[in-house]
Amino acid sequence: GRRADGSAGEGGLGVAALAMWSWLKAYLLYIWGGLHRYFGNANGVHREYLRAVHYFNLAYKTDPGFHRALVASAVIRYRELGEIEGAIAALSDLLQAVPDHGEARFNRALAYQEAGRYGEALADFRSYLQQAQPGDAYYDEARRMVVLLGELAE
């Protein structure tokens, strides 16, 4: 039944509807962030990247299971905004919670590389390859980076 205030009781449709609303809101925030990223890329406007990060972070806060939003935020932070250490920290937090998140590991490797932390980048690329499959989105690039960073370490 319903409560006196008209809401559904615990475990009823209200909980499912709230979960669906949170997911939908997070997805819409993510799409909005993607539009700002696009405008930043198309026009080279710094504030569009800041807005994209803002909306990606809101999407993640709205639905903490929406890892893609956190990764998208971190990518812009290290690639476009120069916030390399902040991006590494965000990706590290995600990897602590979800150790097999390949996209986060691959992007943290790129951020480490950008920071000149080649040993950590090489370790992350190798770790990514241990859990990835040939044909995965970043597999060939990670293999190439292991060879290049391995040569650099020698």
Side-chain angles (χ1 to χ4, degrees):
R2 294 227 170 248
R3 296 183 185 154
D5 65 2
S7 64
E10 253 189 28
L13 182 59
V15 173
L18 183 59
M20 179 56 91
W21 168 246
S22 292
W23 175 84
L24 180 60
K25 182 179 176 186
Y27 189 76
L28 292 173
L29 288 165
Y30 176 80
I31 294 297
W32 196 248
L35 288 171
H36 284 288
R37 176 181 51 207
Y38 170 78
F39 293 136
N41 289 341
N43 302 312
V45 180
H46 181 81
R47 75 176 179 273
E48 294 296 341
Y49 293 126
L50 294 172
R51 287 181 180 148
V53 166
H54 171 76
Y55 285 110
F56 288 145
N57 288 341
L58 276 177
Y60 182 68
K61 286 178 187 170
T62 300
D63 180 359
F66 196 6
H67 303 142
R68 185 174 10 156
L70 182 62
V71 172
S73 171
V75 167
I76 291 174
R77 290 178 68 191
Y78 81 78
R79 207 186 290 169
E80 310 300 339
L81 298 175
E83 298 175 8
I84 299 168
E85 294 304 323
I88 289 170
L91 292 167
S92 295
D93 289 346
L94 177 56
L95 286 165
Q96 190 145 22
V98 187
D100 62 344
H101 197 289
E103 187 178 9
R105 184 152 322 270
F106 179 82
N107 278 288
R108 187 176 71 173
L110 291 176
Y112 279 144
Q113 185 178 342
E114 185 75 21
R117 295 164 62 178
Y118 302 119
E120 291 162 293
L122 182 57
D124 263 0
F125 283 127
R126 285 180 173 154
S127 179
Y128 169 82
L129 288 170
Q130 287 177 345
Q131 61 191 3
Q133 301 294 318
D136 285 356
Y138 307 110
Y139 189 84
D140 291 339
E141 181 67 15
R143 285 185 56 201
R144 188 173 71 81
M145 295 312 300
V146 165
V147 171
L148 292 173
L149 289 172
E151 290 173 1
L152 185 65
E154 292 175 353

